[in-house]
Amino acid sequence: MRRVLPSLTALQFFESSARHLSFTRAAEELNVTQSAISRQIRALEEYLGRDLFRRVKKRLKLTAAGEAYAAQVRDLLDRAEAATLQVMAYSDAGGMLNVGTLPTFGARWLVPRLGDFKATWPDIQLNLITQTREFNFDREGIDIAIHFGEDNLPGCVTHRLMGETLIAVCAPKLLKENDDLPIARERVRNCTLLQHSTRPRAWQDWLAATGVAVVDELAGPRFEHFHMVIQAAVAGLGLALLPEFLVREELESGRLVAPFDVAIPNQHAYYVVYPKEKENNFAVRAFRDWLIATCRTEQDGRTIPSGSAA
């Protein structure tokens, strides 16, 4: 059955015109004439039976239908381009791999180790996609992801990489300048608690485990990424609760200190995750095996095996 679709050229011309709100700028971007843009837009509007643009005081505006259509067409073209590039880069022993990762984990743990992966698999091109929410493999075109939480993701294969231990840290200057900052556990009640928006109960769990009571464990400035929390702690804005492996560099350099002798293991862990239908994808297997081997090596000191994607 034939699909109800306009021409790809018309969609490209419409998307560019909608983005610039100008036929002239769209023509310049696509290296065509303005009249060519106008003809394609007119043909597209006739095909749809809807006006996509209107002119208000000689300025181009999208109609309500045009605005809704533009967002969907842009997403369609982005995904078509990504799929095309992936096929163009594909080879039996390489290709393109879209990897989803948490922002701070990706920047502080994953990226510094990618040179080893590239040395082992030079023909696999990695594209890193970062976000804090759960990844949608189908909608976002992700092949494999690093997930923090539980291992019960529907339709996915999961392998545990590592756990994490949470510690409270702060800038050393606060210990010197503020008598109320904690040198003993009970003084935590006087601190500003830096909050992480994707882990709203972290301080509650830590305080319950340590037996420390505060007036409001949810009070304090809130940050979306661990990187922001780390920078806020270094800047002396308060006490931060962070995975120890993410702040190892700051602790070793003295930019942060851990004023408590309390480390709380998190009940959740980091997993490498991919859809079941990607299980036999060569690049997915190669990256999965490298991740697992790297984590095991750092935990027990063994040498990373190379060249295996079984």
Side-chain angles (χ1 to χ4, degrees):
M1 186 175 180
R2 186 172 181 176
R3 294 181 182 273
V4 181
L5 288 172
S7 73
L8 181 60
T9 299
L11 293 178
Q12 288 179 294
F13 283 20
F14 166 67
E15 188 279 328
S16 181
S17 300
R19 181 160 31 86
H20 293 297
L21 290 178
S22 167
F23 290 170
T24 301
R25 292 181 63 186
E28 291 172 354
E29 179 179 88
L30 299 172
N31 197 27
V32 297
T33 64
Q34 183 178 339
S35 60
I37 296 286
S38 298
R39 285 196 301 272
Q40 288 290 338
I41 298 300
R42 186 165 56 251
L44 181 60
E45 289 178 326
E46 290 174 358
Y47 183 87
L48 297 172
R50 293 278 192 279
D51 287 337
L52 299 173
F53 294 96
R54 57 191 174 90
R55 289 196 175 273
V56 179
K57 296 180 180 179
K58 297 185 179 181
R59 296 185 64 182
L60 201 62
K61 299 283 187 181
L62 284 165
T63 63
E67 192 169 347
Y69 194 47
Q72 296 180 56
V73 167
R74 187 170 298 117
D75 179 65
L76 172 68
L77 293 175
D78 286 345
R79 288 189 286 117
E81 182 181 39
T84 301
L85 290 171
Q86 188 158 2
V87 170
M88 290 170 69
Y90 179 81
S91 68
D92 290 338
M96 185 180 295
L97 189 68
N98 294 327
V99 179
T101 182
L102 299 163
T104 309
F105 183 95
R108 291 195 161 227
W109 190 92
L110 180 60
V111 171
R113 292 162 173 79
L114 287 182
D116 176 75
F117 177 81
K118 195 65 179 174
T120 306
W121 302 108
D123 295 327
I124 297 178
Q125 177 183 316
L126 298 180
N127 298 324
L128 297 190
I129 300 163
T130 63
Q131 61 190 40
T132 54
R133 67 183 183 276
E134 190 172 296
F135 292 100
N136 185 307
F137 290 97
D138 292 332
R139 186 177 65 242
E140 294 159 353
I142 294 172
D143 301 305
I144 189 168
I146 296 169
H147 160 77
F148 179 80
E150 299 178 343
D151 63 347
N152 56 353
L153 297 180
C156 292
V157 180
T158 62
H159 301 274
R160 191 180 189 277
L161 294 176
M162 67 173 103
E164 69 172 19
T165 301
L166 297 174
I167 59 173
V169 298
C170 65
K173 67 179 180 180
L174 292 185
L175 293 175
K176 298 174 183 177
E177 296 174 1
N178 189 344
D179 291 336
D180 290 331
L181 204 89
I183 299 173
R185 292 187 189 180
E186 62 272 12
R187 296 206 182 164
V188 73
R189 69 181 74 252
N190 299 313
C191 292
T192 296
L193 303 182
L194 304 177
Q195 308 285 340
H196 192 288
S197 59
T198 64
R199 299 196 189 183
R201 291 186 54 85
W203 274 116
Q204 289 177 307
D205 295 340
W206 187 87
L207 292 166
T210 57
V212 176
V214 297
V215 175
D216 186 356
E217 65 271 17
L218 299 179
R222 197 167 297 276
F223 305 89
E224 184 178 6
H225 299 154
F226 271 134
H227 175 72
M228 295 179 179
V229 181
I230 294 168
Q231 294 306 309
V234 170
L237 298 184
L239 191 69
L241 190 61
L242 292 161
E244 187 274 336
F245 77 95
L246 289 182
V247 290
R248 200 166 290 156
E249 181 180 331
E250 283 77 9
L251 290 170
E252 291 175 354
S253 68
R255 284 180 290 165
L256 289 176
V257 294
F260 299 99
D261 59 350
V262 179
I264 306 297
N266 199 315
Q267 62 179 334
H268 295 135
Y270 293 88
Y271 296 87
V272 57
V273 185
Y274 49 91
K276 289 181 179 177
E277 58 266 27
K278 300 270 188 180
E279 201 163 10
N280 294 321
N281 180 286
F282 181 89
V284 166
R285 297 200 321 268
F287 190 72
R288 173 203 66 193
D289 292 349
W290 173 80
L291 269 177
I292 293 171
T294 299
C295 290
R296 287 177 180 170
T297 297
E298 296 191 2
Q299 291 170 22
D300 60 24
R302 287 179 293 175
T303 303
I304 300 175
S306 62
S308 171

